[in-house]
Amino acid sequence: MKVLLKSFAFLLLSAFVFSGCSIITNGITYQNDRVMGTTRYTWHETFYINQLNEQEYEQDISLLKEIDENGQSTYTMYDIISIPLKSFDISNEMYIIINKEAIPFPLTLKERLYDNDLKNGVNFPEKSSDAVQNYSINSMKVTRMIHPLDDELIEKISRAKAVYLRYYVGPEMITSEIKGIKLYSLKKLISKKYK
């Protein structure tokens, strides 16, 4: 029993040392990465269709702020957009709009995959004569992107009254609005001096 407890304590300590601790405060996740010598703060938000007559979509955004041992900060936005399978692909032409100024959105990675999501469960027939009920598959086209954000762009976001992310999907558009409490917590991530 003591050997088992010691093994468990060693595994727990190893996980703490190599992956860092993870704390969530005010919507911002904190991780200390001792392996890379950085401190990582992540802001996460989810968006759904919010403009009339726009492309149907769901979007998950994570803005990662990494601070190295010298106190230098770098910012990277991880962006995942899910759209119906029949939709056109998301164009490489995308913008971040800050206080009505449209700025080309930098992009270092864009990859597409498909997500088959089993919805509503399946009632399997008990007898061969019974019909399968409540069965539907919702296939989505998923685009994953990475956007590096330079100091000038971060400075503009920190002074913004509203930030919009604009994407083009064939003849349709996607506009994600970062404002109100979402923008407040994003600015908090940017302005906070963690070191």
Side-chain angles (χ1 to χ4, degrees), residues 105-157:
F105 205 12
L107 183 68
T108 57
L109 172 75
K110 182 180 174 194
E111 61 185 4
R112 189 182 70 222
L113 55 134
Y114 299 95
D115 174 34
N116 291 323
D117 188 11
L118 195 59
K119 297 288 185 183
N120 301 324
V122 178
N123 291 334
F124 290 102
E126 292 180 11
K127 301 176 186 172
S128 60
S129 60
D130 290 343
V132 176
Q133 299 173 3
N134 299 328
Y135 178 75
S136 67
I137 295 178
N138 182 20
S139 295
M140 301 294 284
K141 191 184 296 187
V142 179
T143 303
R144 297 191 302 196
M145 296 170 278
I146 298 176
H147 310 279
L149 305 180
D150 62 25
D151 291 340
E152 182 181 350
L153 197 50
I154 289 296
E155 179 62 26
K156 287 182 179 183
I157 293 170

Side-chain angles (χ1 to χ4, degrees), residues 162-191:
V163 175
Y164 300 89
L165 305 177
R166 169 65 59 81
Y167 308 86
Y168 295 92
V169 185
E172 306 294 334
M173 296 188 304
I174 291 173
T175 306
S176 295
E177 304 174 356
I178 305 174
K179 57 185 183 180
I181 192 70
K182 293 177 181 180
L183 184 57
Y184 172 79
S185 63
L186 178 57
K187 287 182 176 183
K188 185 172 183 179
L189 173 77
I190 292 169
S191 66

Side-chain angles (χ1 to χ4, degrees), residues 25-30 39-43 65-67 71 73 75 185-195:
T25 58
N26 299 322
I28 297 170
T29 304
Y30 158 83
T39 307
R40 301 161 56 95
Y41 298 88
T42 307
W43 171 83
K65 177 179 184 176
E66 292 181 285
I67 305 173
S73 298
Y75 295 86
S185 63
L186 178 57
K187 287 182 176 183
K188 185 172 183 179
L189 173 77
I190 292 169
S191 66
K192 182 109 171 134
K193 303 298 181 198
Y194 294 101
K195 286 237 177 191

Side-chain angles (χ1 to χ4, degrees), residues 69-82:
E69 294 172 336
N70 298 320
Q72 297 297 311
S73 298
T74 56
Y75 295 86
T76 308
M77 183 176 286
Y78 294 86
D79 190 355
I80 303 171
I81 300 179
S82 301

